[in-house]
């Protein structure tokens, strides 16, 4: 039980650190079991399980924070519960009931309370729910049985640069998702499909890939495992397409932008528009809000310089500060986004 005593909270990476417990539930004979709490890091599955052969795997990512008042806050629990249901329906898995999802998230956070990073450390507790098809199939068919589990791990910044702007690459030879494929769901296979482009970008000194739409290569889609937004004058612009995962962070930032008096446009965004934007950033649970300094379209040689001084834009900084303040309880949660644990 001494596992957390020597954690250097301010310097932890975005990686896996073992915690005390995880929670699980199983779908069998047409119904979900109640949750079970375990201290095992392993899952025992049949070698013919559909998750191993046909990619029946979906997941979520959300965070818990310790406030200045000592309270634990979970950000947008309900939205993540709803999104994993949509992902399940998307690839013919059994949706986890909303109440079971919420109860299990709350339980796993409470059981691992000592791993919630202290207020002011900049770190948070990352919550990773996942569901897999577990029954044996050889024909390409959905599983009849499912396991849903949630583990937690303390994390620091996803990007090494933190809030310092990074360079991003457009790689036109790669798609993250197909036009009518699984991009709008949080399906494991989407991430496998992104690995090789991600490695190519990183090997060339870029923090992430900015994907263009997979149909015409004309519009901006997503930015690595995050959504993209830009600020132009008094407007927050974010791409809209069927291959984008609807980011809950983006949804929250759009509301914060409106609260700040900005106009919000969610619409197809031609890549050339990058020439006229004032600020750009990626956003997601892991990335929070990560500003972008330059975007290089590698295959055409075009370079979009977004931040001339290499500093984060003023509006992006304000959006980020409001988001963090709501998550930590420093600012009033006027939209009821936060679940406070007792
Ligand atoms: N897009 C992709 C592909 C992602 O993996 C994520 C991460 O969850 C996001 C966007 C951001 O979504 P959210 O803000 O809900 O974490
Ligand atoms: C998240 O932001 O929660 C994600 O899922 C990104 C991740 C794949 C690291």
């Amino acid at each position: 039980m001494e596992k957390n005593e020597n954690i250097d909270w301010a310097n932890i990476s975005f990686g896996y650190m073992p915690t005390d417990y995880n929670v699980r539930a199983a779908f069998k004979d047409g119904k979900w079991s109640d949750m079970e709490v375990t201290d095992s890091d392993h899952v025992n599955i049949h070698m013919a399980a559909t998750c191993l052969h046909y990619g029946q795997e979906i997941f979520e990512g959300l965070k818990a924070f310790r406030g200045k008042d000592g309270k634990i806050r979970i950000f947008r629990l309900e939205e993540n519960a709803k999104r994993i249901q949509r992902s399940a329906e998307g690839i013919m898995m059994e949706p986890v009931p909303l109440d079971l999802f919420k109860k299990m998230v709350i339980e796993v956070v409470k059981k691992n309370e000592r791993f919630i990073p202290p207020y002011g450390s900049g770190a948070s507790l990352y919550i990773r729910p996942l569901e897999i098809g577990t029954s044996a199939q050889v024909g390409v068919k959905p599983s009849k049985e499912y396991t849903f589990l949630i583990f937690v791990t303390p994390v620091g910044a996803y990007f090494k640069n933190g809030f310092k702007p990074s360079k991003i690459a457009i790689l036109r030879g790669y798609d993250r998702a197909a036009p009518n494929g699984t991009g709008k769901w949080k399906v494991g296979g989407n991430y496998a499909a992104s690995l090789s482009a991600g490695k190519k970008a990183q090997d060339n000194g870029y923090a992430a890939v900015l994907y263009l739409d997979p149909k015409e290569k004309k519009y901006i889609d997503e930015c690595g495992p995050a959504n993209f937004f830009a600020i132009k004058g008094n407007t927050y612009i974010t791409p809209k397409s069927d291959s984008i995962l609807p980011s809950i962070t983006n949804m929250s930032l759009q509301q914060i932008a409106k609260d700040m008096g900005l106009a919000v446009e969610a619409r197809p965004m031609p890549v050339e528009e990058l020439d006229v934007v004032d600020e750009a950033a990626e956003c997601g649970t892991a990335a929070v809000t990560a500003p972008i300094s330059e975007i290089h379209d590698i295959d055409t040689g075009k370079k979009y310089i977004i931040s001339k001084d290499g500093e984060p834009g003023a509006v992006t900084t304000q959006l980020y500060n409001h988001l963090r303040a709501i998550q930590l309880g420093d600012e009033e949660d006027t939209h009821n986004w936060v679940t406070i644990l007792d």
Side-chain angles (χ1 to χ4, degrees), residues 14 59 61 126 128 158 186 191 225 285-286:
F14 193 94
F59 67 100
Y126 188 72
R128 171 52 62 84
Y158 186 70
K186 209 161 164 61
Y191 298 80
T285 298

Side-chain angles (χ1 to χ4, degrees), residues 16 22-26 36 38-47 49 51-52 56-57 128-135 145-151:
Y16 178 73
N22 58 88
V23 292
R24 302 171 184 202
E36 173 202 331
T38 169
D39 61 4
S40 166
D41 292 0
H42 290 86
V43 186
N44 187 7
I45 37 179
H46 193 287
M47 62 185 175
C51 63
L52 297 180
Q56 269 201 311
E57 190 275 344
R128 171 52 62 84
L130 66 101
E131 184 180 345
I132 50 175
T134 49
S135 65
E145 295 174 4
Y146 293 89
T147 292
F148 173 59
L149 73 84
I150 313 177
F151 68 81

Side-chain angles (χ1 to χ4, degrees), residues 30 48 70 122 127 152 158 161 184 192 206 212 265 267 292 297:
I127 306 165
V152 295
Y158 186 70
N161 271 359
K184 56 182 165 301
Y206 297 96
L212 299 187
E265 292 177 8
R267 55 158 170 86
I292 297 172
D297 193 336

Side-chain angles (χ1 to χ4, degrees), residues 83 176 186 191 222 224-227 245 247-249 283-285:
R83 190 170 63 187
R176 189 191 78 91
K186 209 161 164 61
Y191 298 80
E222 290 213 69
N227 275 186
L245 181 81
S247 154
I248 295 162
T249 312
C283 61
T285 298

Side-chain angles (χ1 to χ4, degrees), residues 84-121:
I84 200 170
Q85 288 198 329
R86 295 200 300 273
S87 299
E89 279 151 12
I91 61 164
M92 300 205 67
M93 295 174 66
E94 184 62 33
V96 176
L98 297 178
D99 286 348
L100 182 63
F101 182 97
K102 290 192 254 180
K103 177 170 122 173
M104 287 175 68
V105 168
I106 290 169
E107 182 68 11
V108 73
V109 170
K110 282 188 174 164
K111 284 265 180 230
N112 294 288
E113 186 176 341
R114 67 200 188 90
F115 291 97
I116 303 173
Y119 176 83
S121 63

